[in-house]
Each structure stands twice: as structure tokens, then as C-alpha cells.
Amino acid sequence: MPRDPKQSRILVLDDDAFMLTLLVRMFGQLGYTQVMPCSSGEEALRQIQQPSAAIELILLDINMPGMDGVEFIRQLVACRYTGHVALVSGESSRILESVEKLLRAHHLASLGHLQKPVGLEQLRGLMQQLTSHKGNGATHSAAARCDDPEKLRAAIANGELINHYQPQVTLTTGELVGVESLVRWQHGGDALIYPDRFITLAAEHGLISDLTRAVLAAAMRQAKLWALAGHNLPVAVNVSMDDLTALDFPDVAASLAASAGVDPCMITLEITEGQVMKQLSTALDVISRLRLKRFRLAIDDFGTGHSSLAQLRDLPFDELKVDRSFVHGASADTSLQAICSASLRMAQQLKLHVVAEGVEDQSDWNLLREMGCDVAQGYFIARPMPGEKLLAWIDDWSARRPKASATA
Ligand code: C2E
Ligand code: CA
Ligand code: CA
């Protein structure tokens, strides 16, 4: 039975007694009553390890005397915590981003961060995210189970993987120019498991190519449905290096496109994992044939080290996606801004189409627009959504888009 999300068990960890009181009070104003304040990492760990604790969210201050946030995260991993974590700090967003990366590296479910002083609306936004992340509260147990490759294999075969789609719009006019497909695992009932929790598992157990084929086929079917509804929308799909080492991948992709009735030039393949290519010749073979078949190619997460300049030199990309860690907050951070604008200039010189990921607010939008970036994707425009919700979103966006296009 779905439970009232307001019954979520939340732990707030902050050494500052005033902050603790304030946050508990704010949760109360939002209707959350199961909130446990803790003033030290040790105390929090004791609470979490209680058999009946079932904590679903930890709001973690990363600056604490004694056990700091980073050390606390290490301990959380050791005690196999499976709920969500959101960071709170007065530190610069770059430090928050790096601790967030640490959470992801440990496969902990990160809900992002809140900058101090925390406002009620910020907290409300965070809790809405928790609700959408959790489905109706079942992720807690589901998350613990997604380290089983056999379950994932069955999920792929049984169609439990579903795509959500995130809009991409031009920064000049706000026009919708495409969507990125992002896979989720619909795990029993309402729980949705996010890809950070199973893509690595798929890669480690040779399941990536089945996963990609399922995602690609679903994305193409959806593209066809939108086209029939009058929206001829390009769709981007994430592929991994493993896909690019399967020599038959271009033929499989082309035959999927043919059976869905979709032109390959409407499909962009985003290459996400650019670890040193062990089989460069195979990848070049596959990528060249994908281009010959008129699929578009994007270099994803540009600038993160997963995507290197050498790849840009060697592979025939059409598009460059600036990683979200360089985009959000760039207007207030000169080093992020430098990286963003350098990536943009380089892409422009290479005549690549540029998409900025992680456009989360109006100031990100304004900055990218001033820098002459082509396309934006991020929470400011829309969160990823099920395919059938896109048409309603298009109506909603056309009502608010003039405001978003104005340089405030
Ligand atoms: P990605 O390709 O970089 O995808 C963008 C991720 O950023 C998505 O997370 C999206 O929900 C999130 N995002 C979008 N806008 C914003 C924003 O404004 N702010 C922030 N902080 N985040 C934003 P998601 O869906 O959890 O996907 C995580 C990663 O999993 C993806 O990163 C991609 O690398 C991988 N992935 C997703 N679907 C597939 C797939 O079908 N195949 C493969 N191989 N990998 C996939
Ligand atoms: Ca991507
Ligand atoms: Ca990315």
C-alpha cells in the first residue's frame, strides 16, 4: 500500500543547534513529522543502525567538528545505508558538487544540495524530488535489491525498464528541439530505480547491449508516436563504450529504426563512458558506420575526464554536451565560467552543436544565453518525464517560455 510521503523518516545532521531547530521546524511547516535531529555523526550512525530506523532521507551538514560530512558518508557506506542523502552547507557549490560526486561514486542516492541559509521553498523543492525519486516510498527496499544481475537481466527481458524524456530547448527562443531519453527501472509497483544504480551493474555483467537495445527500441517507438501526434522530435539515447565495441551495433540500430519507422537522423547517440578505448579500431569502425547510416553522435559529459580531447579529435561528433557540473552555478563562479566558455568556444570552432546540461535556474539560463550556447537542458526547463506527459509539458512550456527567454 502506498504510504503518505509526509510519513517519510528523515534524519537531520548538523552540529549547529540553531540550524537543527530551524530545519525541524521547517519540515513541520511542510507537514513532515517524523524528523530526527542529530548533532554529531556518531549519534546519527547509532540512530541509523537501529533495526527499526528505516531512515529514508538524511540531510547532512558537511562541515562539522569531529566527524565531518565526508567521513560520515564513508561510515554510511560501511553500514549499508540505502536511503537518500541531501547535503547542506555554506560552502561554495564546487565543494558541494564534489561531495555529491562522492555520494554517487559510492552509489548512494543523492538528492542534491541546499545552500545555507536554507529557505522553506528550497526545502519544499527537495522534498518534491524525494517523492518523485521514491515513487511511493518503495525504493528503500528496492534499492537494496538492485545489486542482483539476474534480477536486472529479467527486468530487461520483461520490459521493466522504461524511458523518461528530458526536453532540450534553444536558448534564443525556448523552442523545443529534442529530448534525451533516460532509463529507469520500474521495480515492482511504483518504485523507480535510477540508472546510477544499475548501469554499472549492467556493464559488469555483460548486460549493457541488451539494455541499450531495449532503450533504443522504446525511444524510437516513442519518437514515432510523437511524430504521429504532430511533433517530429529528435531523440537522444545514451550508449556506452561496450555498445561501440559490438561490430553489429550499427546494423541493429538501423534495423530498429527501420521497424519503428524513424529516420536515423532523428536519433542522437550520446557516448557517455569514454574510458580509454581499449579497442580503438573496433570503436572507430562502429562509429563510422553509425555516421554512414546517418545517426547523429554526441560527446556526453564533456570536460569530466570521461570525455577527452583525444576523442574529440578522433571521432566524428555532431554535438558536444557540456557537463552539468560546469553549468549550474557558473554565473557565480569564475572558474566554472571559464571552463564553460572555453568548451563553448572550442565546440563552435569545431562546428559542433552545443547542449548545456544542468541548467537549473534563471541565472544558469541567462549566462548560457549570453555565451551563445545553442541548446539548454535541465531542471529549469523540465525534469525527465514519462513520454506520455510530454505533450502536456509542451503546452505548459509555451505559456512560461517567454519569461524564460528574457534576459533578466
Ligand atoms: P547523463 O547522460 O549526464 O544524463 C543527465 C542526468 O542529469 C540525468 O540523470 C538527469 O536526470 C540529470 N539532470 C537533468 N537535468 C538536471 C539538472 O538541471 N540538474 C541536475 N543536478 N541534474 C540534472 P539520470 O537520469 O539519473 O541519469 C544518470 C546517468 O545515467 C546519465 O547521465 C547517463 O550517463 C546514464 N544513463 C541514463 N540512461 C541511460 C541509458 O539508457 N543507457 C546508458 N548506458 N546510460 C544511461
Ligand atoms: Ca546523456
Ligand atoms: Ca552529463
Side-chain angles (χ1 to χ4, degrees):
M1 251 272 283
R3 208 160 41 81
D4 179 1
K6 296 281 161 85
Q7 295 298 311
S8 299
R9 296 170 71 94
I10 301 163
L11 187 146
V12 184
L13 172 53
D14 198 312
D15 62 296
D16 178 345
F18 175 71
M19 266 311 281
L20 273 183
T21 317
L22 191 71
L23 283 166
V24 173
R25 187 174 309 148
M26 281 172 23
F27 272 117
Q29 287 171 321
L30 296 174
Y32 292 88
T33 50
Q34 310 258 34
V35 184
M36 187 185 299
C38 288
S39 57
S40 75
E42 289 81 359
E43 186 192 343
L45 287 169
R46 269 195 304 278
Q47 296 292 352
I48 292 159
Q49 284 169 306
Q50 299 284 328
S52 59
I55 302 292
E56 290 166 53
L57 170 65
I58 300 174
L59 216 58
L60 169 63
D61 174 25
I62 59 174
N63 320 77
M64 292 181 293
M67 189 190 298
D68 62 33
V70 173
E71 213 179 329
F72 178 74
I73 289 169
R74 202 185 315 130
Q75 299 294 336
L76 269 185
V77 176
C79 72
R80 302 184 144 265
Y81 173 72
T82 56
H84 291 78
V85 180
L87 306 175
V88 187
S89 173
E91 292 289 345
S92 80
S93 61
R94 292 193 69 195
I95 296 181
L96 283 163
E97 286 274 356
S98 72
V99 180
E100 250 181 273
K101 285 208 184 92
L102 178 70
L103 287 173
R104 285 200 287 270
H106 282 305
H107 301 289
L108 284 166
S110 162
L111 271 197
H113 58 255
L114 297 176
Q115 201 90 41
K116 283 186 184 178
V118 177
L120 192 63
E121 283 317 306
Q122 263 184 302
L123 195 62
R124 193 194 306 277
L126 185 87
M127 296 317 287
Q128 279 164 353
Q129 223 179 307
L130 178 69
T131 315
S132 64
H133 256 226
K134 285 195 318 153
N136 281 318
T139 310
H140 195 73
S141 53
R145 272 184 261 128
C146 69
D147 52 4
D148 181 346
E150 287 317 310
K151 290 225 166 72
L152 180 57
R153 192 188 305 277
I156 298 170
N158 300 336
E160 283 174 36
L161 296 192
I162 55 164
N163 290 347
H164 279 192
Y165 298 90
Q166 187 174 36
Q168 302 178 325
V169 303
T170 63
L171 279 139
T172 45
T173 62
E175 185 195 347
L176 175 66
V177 287
V179 292
E180 176 178 358
S181 141
L182 295 157
V183 68
R184 277 91 182 84
W185 178 356
Q186 179 103 48
H187 195 293
D190 294 314
L192 272 194
I193 302 179
Y194 283 71
D196 284 350
R197 297 207 145 198
F198 58 86
I199 294 292
T200 316
L201 183 69
E204 285 166 1
H205 293 85
L207 297 171
I208 276 286
S209 95
D210 288 346
L211 182 145
T212 303
R213 286 163 204 214
V215 167
L216 200 52
M220 287 167 171
R221 282 195 302 271
Q222 182 62 66
K224 184 67 185 178
L225 287 176
W226 285 323
L228 291 171
H231 298 276
N232 209 13
L233 270 182
V235 180
V237 173
N238 293 286
V239 300
S240 73
M241 267 302 156
D242 285 357
D243 295 308
L244 303 179
T245 53
L247 281 171
D248 67 339
F249 182 63
D251 305 299
V252 171
S255 83
L256 288 173
S259 42
V262 171
D263 192 332
C265 72
M266 299 300 280
I267 305 295
T268 300
L269 302 171
E270 296 192 1
I271 298 177
T272 49
E273 295 156 57
Q275 289 105 350
V276 190
M277 278 184 262
K278 291 187 197 93
Q279 296 168 268
L280 182 66
S281 60
T282 313
L284 281 171
D285 177 317
V286 170
I287 286 174
S288 310
R289 290 188 62 231
L290 284 167
R291 286 288 269 110
L292 287 170
K293 292 181 185 299
R294 302 282 175 257
F295 286 98
R296 290 181 79 246
L297 293 178
I299 182 164
D300 202 0
D301 298 345
F302 185 72
T304 58
H306 286 308
S307 291
S308 68
L309 292 171
Q311 272 184 293
L312 212 50
R313 177 198 60 202
D314 294 335
L315 303 174
F317 289 108
D318 303 277
E319 180 177 294
L320 179 150
K321 297 192 78 175
V322 184
D323 190 66
R324 62 179 186 268
S325 60
F326 304 122
V327 172
H328 174 53
S331 65
D333 185 317
T334 45
S335 43
L336 292 188
Q337 222 173 93
I339 298 170
C340 234
S341 80
S343 309
L344 265 168
R345 272 202 311 276
M346 191 179 65
Q348 283 156 351
Q349 278 165 7
L350 294 170
K351 305 217 171 357
L352 297 174
H353 190 244
V354 193
V355 178
E357 299 182 324
V359 175
E360 285 193 21
D361 55 32
Q362 182 90 49
S363 47
D364 297 340
W365 174 280
N366 291 349
L367 180 75
L368 269 303
R369 190 176 140 94
E370 279 159 29
M371 284 181 174
C373 180
D374 303 312
V375 171
Q377 178 182 345
Y379 296 163
F380 181 62
I381 300 124
R383 287 180 182 267
M385 64 187 94
E388 64 274 13
K389 297 230 164 117
L390 191 82
L391 298 183
W393 175 84
I394 292 176
D395 290 341
D396 174 60
W397 175 249
S398 60
R400 71 188 172 97
R401 147 183 161 181
K403 179 176 150 273
S405 303
T407 310

